[in-house]
Amino acid sequence: MRWLRIRNPAGEAMRRLSSKKVIYHFSPKNRPAYTVKSGERVIVETRDCFSGKAKGPKDLFEDIAMGAVNPATGPIALEGLVAGETLSVSIDGIKCGKTGVIMCSPDLGILGRDVRRARTKIVPIKGSRALFSDEIAIELNPHVGVIGVSPREGKVPVYYPGDFGGNMDTVEVCEGSRVHLPTFVDGGMVSLGDVHAAMGDGEVCGTAIEVAAEVQARFSKAEDLELRRPMVETSTEWISYAAAETLDKAAKLATSDLVRFMSNRLGMDFEDAYMLASVAADLKISQVVDPLMAARMSISKKYL
Amino acid sequence: MRWLRIRNPAGEAMRRLSSKKVIYHFSPKNRPAYTVKSGERVIVETRDCFSGKAKGPKDLFEDIAMGAVNPATGPIALEGLVAGETLSVSIDGIKCGKTGVIMCSPDLGILGRDVRRARTKIVPIKGSRALFSDEIAIELNPHVGVIGVSPREGKVPVYYPGDFGGNMDTVEVCEGSRVHLPTFVDGGMVSLGDVHAAMGDGEVCGTAIEVAAEVQARFSKAEDLELRRPMVETSTEWISYAAAETLDKAAKLATSDLVRFMSNRLGMDFEDAYMLASVAADLKISQVVDPLMAARMSISKKYL
């Protein structure tokens, strides 16, 4: 494994949270595998979404993915966090494995009907690129695909997104960003996994460049942020996020969340915030291939 | 009016296509208002989407927009173009008016139900910014909202997008880009209008910063491009575009078009192009507020 674009404070001893402890469902009944203090810097080891079972081009989606996909390391309890408070996860670095996997398969992804045969592509990762073929090297944009807390109720498979986060598949969940999550149980119980070395918005074929990884992270309580759904904060942007049965519904929720956030921050009425969003904020697609579709909306911090 | 970010070849006499000749419907029955030669550089004058009727904050959407919105200058026939060929429009510059208009109104836009009162905001444009308020200056991204040819059939209001282009509301239809359009009648009969000084992806409140403008453009035949729907080509990207009843359907069409385009260009089979798109191409939202929703998908030219 190689550290990619990581700021690793010299000499600081970091606790490692092993990927031996994973969940396959988000549930309020989950018990903590790890407990961290606010601001403690840890390394979260994550398996790739196929748990390392795809080793070569003969390991096809239908053979592997029928079992357990998207294992997420955790749950990680934040000491002192009370249900209902907002949990912030700072992503300080992502170190991707040396090999990535991309798969396509009949009925997988937005054009799944057009896929005639399953294919698994093993992609070597060299520096900041993944070698898709002899001719094509993909620029990496490493990010954490799954990051979620225990939901209010139910037993939600880890490949679902939702108001609790989960399979967010959002490229800004990357080094230098913070993910703010509403919580529903004490400690929050966040789990991380499904790191992508690279993905385009949409993740249209159903997989990204899937890698095992090590994620350097800190956890804390956000004091001034009340959320119903996740928000992502980069160095330059605020981003709302919503998942729903259709992209149209997800887009509406993400817009509503961001407009209300802007209205609060700017002390503007709804109408002005709505108009400002229309001319200055971008409504985007996170993914269109999970059981729920996900949209997000971003506004530059320079306007807030 | 001020020229914004424009490359205006010194001394070249350019024909002006006046905005006195506009259409309110795209139709195969439309007759040409202007005829241009391939490569001829012209200035297309465009009215703002409210035909200049919004002069102050008391001119509200319901009073103005019930009439004729989005007048598009044209139709412009390209000499020698035969129905079925692909028409390319190079946008060489966009000169925005000195004043922009933003409106919101009950039932307008993706959150229209939450709007309690209509509002019209007149926005002065200074240099590369629009003054939204005393505190907030919006960075401009001038682009052409409406650009479309005569469709195969029907009489389509000019505020609709479709396979013939129309109300594309796509921010990359800007200076330095080319819009490639399928054609259905001889000459193509392209019309342009609805320039936005600034818009975020989604155009969520239903309006952008609406301006009158002058668009410097050239028209030609694309020799090696067979299209069913528009494509936009920037200096760095190829972008597919599709409009449909839902965002989900539009996203699927835009993905299908781009994957097939990549497959052809790269001599790759469908499966490889699908996987490459998933990890390197971005599925995006153009707008969610017109009668049809529009999505697009972009791939960097460095991969093609």
Side-chain angles (χ1 to χ4, degrees):
Chain A
M1 287 191 178
R2 310 177 62 261
W3 283 98
L4 283 169
R5 299 187 296 164
I6 194 151
R7 285 173 280 120
N8 193 351
E12 188 179 331
M14 279 184 279
R15 188 147 63 107
R16 300 182 78 85
L17 310 188
S18 158
S19 62
K20 285 178 187 166
K21 294 188 177 173
V22 295
I23 61 162
Y24 292 98
H25 293 88
F26 292 102
S27 162
K29 293 184 179 164
N30 286 351
R31 307 307 312 151
Y34 304 103
T35 300
V36 295
K37 291 185 197 307
S38 179
E40 182 185 352
R41 202 180 287 266
V42 297
I43 293 171
V44 183
E45 299 175 354
T46 60
R47 303 184 198 167
D48 73 46
C49 72
F50 304 114
S51 276
K53 289 179 190 163
K55 297 186 189 308
K58 289 185 178 171
D59 297 323
L60 298 177
F61 185 79
E62 58 188 356
D63 304 320
I64 289 173
M66 293 300 103
V69 295
N70 278 9
T73 304
I76 304 164
L78 173 60
E79 217 173 86
L81 181 124
V82 175
E85 293 179 326
T86 298
L87 171 65
S88 297
V89 183
S90 298
I91 310 289
D92 293 327
I94 299 174
K95 177 180 160 183
C96 295
K98 285 184 183 169
T99 306
V101 184
I102 316 172
M103 290 191 186
C104 75
S105 193
D107 298 324
L108 183 65
I110 193 169
L111 305 179
R113 280 196 189 175
D114 299 333
V115 177
R116 283 153 299 179
R117 48 187 169 274
R119 184 171 300 160
T120 293
K121 195 179 274 286
I122 304 295
V123 181
I125 294 176
K126 304 278 185 193
S128 63
R129 293 179 178 188
L131 307 182
F132 185 85
S133 67
D134 289 347
E135 295 81 27
I136 299 176
I138 309 286
E139 295 286 340
L140 303 188
N141 61 342
H143 55 277
V144 178
V146 168
I147 181 166
V149 295
S150 286
R152 192 183 307 279
E153 56 187 8
K155 189 180 172 190
V156 185
V158 82
Y159 49 84
Y160 269 75
D163 292 354
F164 58 93
N167 195 9
M168 288 181 65
D169 286 334
T170 293
V171 295
E172 290 92 354
V173 183
C174 62
E175 181 186 326
S177 291
R178 291 203 290 171
V179 183
H180 305 289
L181 297 158
T183 67
F184 309 95
V185 301
D186 290 348
M189 306 292 162
V190 67
S191 301
L192 282 74
D194 186 30
V195 167
H196 302 152
M199 185 189 86
D201 270 352
E203 201 189 15
V204 292
C205 90
T207 61
I209 299 182
E210 309 289 345
V211 287
E214 296 183 350
V215 180
Q216 202 185 128
R218 282 169 297 146
F219 305 83
S220 62
K221 206 189 295 186
E223 298 295 350
D224 300 321
L225 208 52
E226 276 186 43
L227 299 178
R228 277 189 299 183
R229 277 175 284 273
M231 285 194 84
V232 181
E233 182 185 358
T234 74
S235 58
T236 58
E237 290 181 320
W238 278 99
I239 307 169
S240 62
Y241 170 92
E245 294 75 21
T246 66
L247 205 46
D248 297 79
K249 283 186 190 170
K252 192 168 180 175
L253 289 170
T255 304
S256 180
D257 284 358
L258 193 76
V259 169
R260 283 166 214 285
F261 177 80
M262 289 168 60
S263 170
N264 284 336
R265 285 265 158 156
L266 292 166
M268 260 180 192
D269 68 9
F270 172 83
E271 283 77 4
D272 265 12
Y274 187 35
M275 289 194 281
L276 180 57
S278 193
V279 302
D282 288 313
L283 186 59
K284 299 180 183 185
I285 292 169
S286 283
Q287 57 73 28
V288 290
V289 296
D290 295 335
L292 300 175
M293 311 292 131
R296 66 193 192 280
M297 194 173 203
S298 67
I299 181 83
S300 169
K301 284 182 171 175
K302 71 183 166 196
Y303 297 126
L304 297 182
Chain B
M1 287 193 176
R2 309 178 62 262
W3 282 99
L4 283 168
R5 300 187 294 166
I6 194 150
R7 286 174 279 119
N8 193 349
E12 187 180 331
M14 279 183 279
R15 189 149 62 107
R16 299 181 78 86
L17 310 188
S18 158
S19 62
K20 286 178 186 165
K21 294 188 177 173
V22 296
I23 60 163
Y24 292 99
H25 293 88
F26 292 102
S27 161
K29 293 183 180 165
N30 287 350
R31 306 307 312 151
Y34 304 103
T35 299
V36 295
K37 291 184 197 308
S38 179
E40 183 185 351
R41 202 179 286 268
V42 298
I43 293 171
V44 183
E45 300 175 356
T46 60
R47 302 185 198 166
D48 74 45
C49 73
F50 304 114
S51 277
K53 290 179 190 163
K55 297 187 188 307
K58 289 184 177 171
D59 297 322
L60 298 178
F61 185 79
E62 58 188 356
D63 303 321
I64 290 173
M66 292 302 103
V69 295
N70 279 8
T73 305
I76 304 164
L78 173 60
E79 217 172 87
L81 181 124
V82 175
E85 293 179 325
T86 299
L87 171 65
S88 298
V89 184
S90 298
I91 310 288
D92 292 328
I94 299 175
K95 176 179 161 185
C96 295
K98 286 185 181 168
T99 306
V101 183
I102 316 171
M103 289 192 186
C104 76
S105 192
D107 298 324
L108 183 65
I110 193 170
L111 305 179
R113 280 197 189 176
D114 299 334
V115 176
R116 281 154 300 180
R117 49 187 168 274
R119 185 172 298 160
T120 292
K121 195 179 274 286
I122 304 294
V123 181
I125 294 176
K126 304 277 186 193
S128 63
R129 293 177 178 190
L131 307 182
F132 185 86
S133 67
D134 290 346
E135 295 80 27
I136 299 176
I138 309 287
E139 295 287 342
L140 303 189
N141 61 343
H143 56 277
V144 179
V146 168
I147 181 166
V149 295
S150 285
R152 192 183 308 278
E153 56 187 9
K155 188 179 172 190
V156 185
V158 82
Y159 49 83
Y160 269 75
D163 293 353
F164 58 93
N167 195 8
M168 289 181 65
D169 286 336
T170 293
V171 295
E172 291 91 354
V173 183
C174 62
E175 182 186 326
S177 292
R178 290 204 291 171
V179 183
H180 305 289
L181 297 158
T183 66
F184 309 95
V185 301
D186 290 348
M189 304 292 161
V190 68
S191 301
L192 282 75
D194 187 30
V195 167
H196 301 151
M199 185 190 87
D201 269 352
E203 201 189 16
V204 292
C205 90
T207 62
I209 298 181
E210 310 289 345
V211 287
E214 295 183 353
V215 179
Q216 202 185 127
R218 282 169 298 145
F219 306 83
S220 62
K221 207 189 292 186
E223 298 296 348
D224 300 321
L225 208 52
E226 276 186 44
L227 298 179
R228 276 190 300 183
R229 277 176 283 273
M231 285 195 83
V232 181
E233 181 185 358
T234 74
S235 57
T236 58
E237 290 180 318
W238 279 100
I239 307 170
S240 63
Y241 170 93
E245 294 75 22
T246 67
L247 205 46
D248 297 78
K249 284 185 189 171
K252 192 168 180 175
L253 290 171
T255 305
S256 180
D257 284 357
L258 193 75
V259 169
R260 284 167 213 285
F261 177 79
M262 289 168 60
S263 171
N264 284 337
R265 286 264 158 157
L266 292 166
M268 262 180 191
D269 68 9
F270 172 82
E271 284 76 5
D272 265 12
Y274 188 34
M275 289 194 282
L276 180 57
S278 193
V279 302
D282 287 314
L283 187 58
K284 300 181 183 184
I285 292 169
S286 283
Q287 56 74 28
V288 290
V289 296
D290 295 334
L292 300 175
M293 310 292 132
R296 67 194 191 279
M297 193 173 204
S298 67
I299 182 82
S300 170
K301 284 182 171 176
K302 71 183 166 197
Y303 297 126
L304 296 183

